[in-house]
Amino acid sequence: MGKTVAFIGLGNMGGGMAANLVKAGFQVNAFDLMEANLKAAAEKGCTPVDCPKKAVEGVDYVVSMLPNGAIVEGVYIDDGLLDVIPTTALVLDCSTVAPENSRRVGREAAIRGHRFVDAPVSGGVAAAAAGTLAFMVGGSEADFEASKPVLQAMGANIFRAGDVGAGQVAKICNNMLLAIHMSGTAEALQLGMDNGLDPKVLSEIMLQSSGCNWSLQKYNPVPGVMEGVPASNGYKGGFMVDLMLKDLSLAQAAAVSSKSSIPMGSAARNLFNLHKNSGGEDKGMQDFSSILELYSR
Ligand code: NAD
């Protein structure tokens, strides 16, 4: 029989990830607070379980994909899940949380004899469904190796960033840079348009020039310039402004704790906050490339 996984948190990301574990031959016990998500997981071959402590009985791995650090600590520490997970199991938390949340859960896990890695992801809901996520792992070399069979079933690129918490640091740095180059790309394109340039032509020029970056290559923020991106679909789908703000707030907190200067990251956080609150409606649910609207308005 295949190895067993308890999967906690079957939302937009977790639902697709759990389905890919089933496809790869794992037996997946699924738990979520939302009945509808449990039902959807059952339809994809998971075994729905009505209590997290039941879900972890006898499993080889525990994977969680939860909204934030308070919930992750609540599930593992306050609600006592770590007390009942088999000590032979490897615990992988894929949620995006503060490095300190991961280190706290890692310490509590170690006290109880568990192996723990933080493994936040890059890539959105589509990559979770397609099994093409990038994982940034924090944990010992041995635990990183042991996590690979599970992560390879859900992702295309798997990196070890360092010890427990390091995966979260890598994720925070990457997404802060993403926010900065997306805002900068929107700013440059709008400047060009305000001065009479066609954004398609300007994009082609910058793609072959020193301003080239991932936002221009894969995720142009101007509607109609690129097919298949959220900008050409009313900024629907993709990566929400609210989630980008969550990651920028984590970057801010990390910088405060390490006494690092992040003037560009702070500016990006303020820009995305301004954007969210501008125009009388909450823009938090729009894709983050809609930051262009802040410049074009
Ligand atoms: P989501 O809100 O769709 O899913 C979270 C799920 O957790 C929900 O189904 C919710 O019912 C469940 N949940 C909440 N508390 C629980 C508890 N105590 N026990 C069990 N289940 C519980 O969120 P998501 O978009 O799937 O994001 C999950 C994580 O992935 C977040 O940390 C997010 O920052 C990160 N992330 C998201 C994206 C994205 O594009 N959505 C991309 C990269 C990383």
Side-chain angles (χ1 to χ4, degrees), residues 78-152:
D78 306 338
D79 298 346
L81 196 59
L82 284 177
D83 296 325
V84 295
I85 293 172
T87 45
T88 46
L90 174 66
V91 181
L92 302 93
D93 180 40
C94 299
S95 326
T96 302
V97 302
E100 196 39 52
N101 297 129
S102 297
R103 291 184 192 122
R104 211 168 288 136
V105 177
R107 275 195 302 273
E108 292 296 324
I111 288 168
R112 292 161 179 79
H114 295 299
R115 296 168 295 150
F116 173 84
V117 299
D118 54 305
V121 307
S122 178
V125 178
T132 56
L133 292 167
F135 286 94
M136 308 167 197
V137 182
S140 70
E141 290 275 9
D143 294 348
F144 174 61
E145 286 305 318
S147 71
K148 278 186 179 168
V150 172
L151 298 181
Q152 278 163 350

Side-chain angles (χ1 to χ4, degrees), residues 106-283:
R107 275 195 302 273
E108 292 296 324
I111 288 168
R112 292 161 179 79
H114 295 299
R115 296 168 295 150
F116 173 84
V117 299
D118 54 305
V121 307
S122 178
V125 178
T132 56
L133 292 167
F135 286 94
M136 308 167 197
V137 182
S140 70
E141 290 275 9
D143 294 348
F144 174 61
E145 286 305 318
S147 71
K148 278 186 179 168
V150 172
L151 298 181
Q152 278 163 350
M154 304 187 287
N157 291 295
I158 298 154
F159 304 97
R160 177 174 179 262
D163 292 331
V164 172
Q168 301 295 349
V169 177
K171 160 88 188 176
I172 286 169
C173 294
N174 180 70
N175 277 25
M176 184 180 82
L177 181 56
L178 171 62
I180 292 168
H181 65 63
M182 180 56 82
S183 333
T185 300
E187 193 168 302
L189 286 168
Q190 188 61 46
L191 177 65
M193 287 189 281
D194 291 346
N195 284 275
L197 265 62
D198 177 339
K200 265 192 190 166
V201 173
L202 179 56
S203 295
E204 273 165 32
I205 292 170
M206 294 197 295
L207 277 168
Q208 301 305 325
S209 306
S210 45
C212 182
N213 68 75
W214 185 92
S215 293
L216 264 182
Q217 287 172 316
K218 309 262 184 183
Y219 219 99
N220 197 297
V222 180
V225 169
M226 198 175 253
E227 276 177 30
V229 294
S232 297
N233 184 33
Y235 297 114
K236 290 197 283 288
F239 185 52
M240 287 188 304
V241 167
D242 277 343
L243 281 175
M244 179 53 95
L245 276 168
K246 171 192 170 186
D247 294 353
L248 288 168
S249 299
L250 291 172
Q252 195 82 38
V256 168
S257 117
S258 60
K259 299 188 172 58
S260 306
S261 302
I262 52 161
M264 308 278 280
S266 300
R269 190 175 74 86
N270 281 318
L271 286 170
F272 278 95
N273 251 331
L274 267 176
H275 172 48
K276 174 180 165 67
N277 298 322
S278 63
E281 51 174 315
D282 187 345
K283 306 269 184 186

Side-chain angles (χ1 to χ4, degrees), residues 8-14 31-34 37 65-67 71 75 95-96 121 123-125 171 239 243 246:
I8 319 281
L10 303 149
N12 292 323
M13 297 292 289
F31 175 74
D32 194 288
L33 295 177
M34 288 174 65
N37 290 352
M65 194 56 166
L66 294 162
I71 293 177
V75 165
S95 326
T96 302
V121 307
V125 178
K171 160 88 188 176
F239 185 52
L243 281 175
K246 171 192 170 186

